[in-house]
Amino acid sequence: MRKKIVVGNWKMNLLQADAAARATELKELVGESSGCEVGICPTFLSISPVVSALEGSCIGVGAQDIFWKESGAFTGFLSAAMIADAGCKYVLIGHSERRGRFGKLEVPESTLGFFAETDETVNLKLKAVLGTSLTPIVCVGETLAEREASKTDEVIAAQVNAMLDGIEAEAFAEGVIAYEPVWAIGTGQVCDSTEANRVCGFIRSVLPASIQASVRIQYGGSVNPANAAELFSQPEIDGGLVGGASLKPSDFIQVIRSAS
Ligand code: 13P
């Protein structure tokens, strides 16, 4: 049976001291064992203080992105080895906000080209992570327009296939996919649990047969203490990728317990 995994994505929030304080609070709430795998992805700058705060705890730390090259003239980027060296266990790849696909648009539409993640860069990043100590969490999901045009499955199948292009299936056997419908992110509009379960099952069916049983598929998008138990009780949903509700330890612990 797959172990559920709940990961908090802190996005561009919290200064270092606050991040460390919230990690310490969460560590105390989680205690010795959480019953599921738990992670937090703070900003790059807060990785080190959060790793220190979580020493001796079962909570892992993740980065929100990486670059696919090992080193070189790539100003402002970080490699997989660098974030592993900083103490990370997880890395998010291809979050919709990096793909320029927002549930709630808070930047001028004319700047969307700045958020330049594509299926090809997601694939390159995944290749750079496989074979390292990091567990990749690759995000996929459809926009509202794509859902309304009945293109959900088509869009998601294309994202999953592109992400695995040129990769031996077994290399991703312990990987994680987060199904995050873009329209549900940061909007308070959670995907119905039956539909979320259906899409997670669909993602599994798109994966190569040899890894269908082992890859964990999370749901993400407006998960909170009130809806987490219903979502996580679905057979195809192996946990959650949680944004807003992961910032408050007293809320996040309830989400974690819902998966335990
Ligand atoms: P919210 O939980 O704030 O909707 O964010 C979800 C998300 O994008 C996690 O990566």
Side-chain angles (χ1 to χ4, degrees), residues 37-38 51 58-63 83-84 87-91 133-136:
E37 206 173 308
V38 180
V51 165
C58 58
I59 304 169
V61 179
I83 64 158
C88 283
K89 184 173 172 193
Y90 307 103
V91 60
S133 59
L134 297 164
T135 297

Side-chain angles (χ1 to χ4, degrees), residues 9 11 92 95-97 139 180 184-188 220-223 241-245:
N9 176 7
K11 306 191 180 182
L92 304 183
H95 192 282
S96 55
E97 288 154 9
C139 306
E180 297 206 308
I185 296 179
T187 58
S222 297
V223 174
L241 186 56
V242 187

Side-chain angles (χ1 to χ4, degrees), residues 9-96:
N9 176 7
W10 283 358
K11 306 191 180 182
M12 197 178 77
N13 291 295
L14 310 178
L15 300 184
Q16 294 180 51
D18 195 3
R22 292 187 202 211
T24 302
E25 197 182 333
L26 187 67
K27 175 182 171 178
E28 278 156 18
L29 290 168
V30 166
E32 301 278 297
S33 137
S34 57
C36 67
E37 206 173 308
V38 180
I40 299 173
C41 300
T43 66
F44 285 134
L45 287 172
S46 289
I47 286 172
S48 282
V50 167
V51 165
S52 299
L54 291 176
E55 218 179 292
S57 127
C58 58
I59 304 169
V61 179
Q64 297 175 16
D65 187 32
I66 51 140
F67 187 55
W68 61 84
K69 289 283 198 177
E70 281 176 23
S71 63
F74 301 104
T75 303
F77 290 90
L78 295 172
S79 69
M82 287 167 184
I83 64 158
D85 182 51
C88 283
K89 184 173 172 193
Y90 307 103
V91 60
L92 304 183
I93 299 177
H95 192 282
S96 55

Side-chain angles (χ1 to χ4, degrees), residues 74 117 202 232 234:
F74 301 104
E117 195 82 82
F202 173 71
F232 299 163
Q234 303 297 315

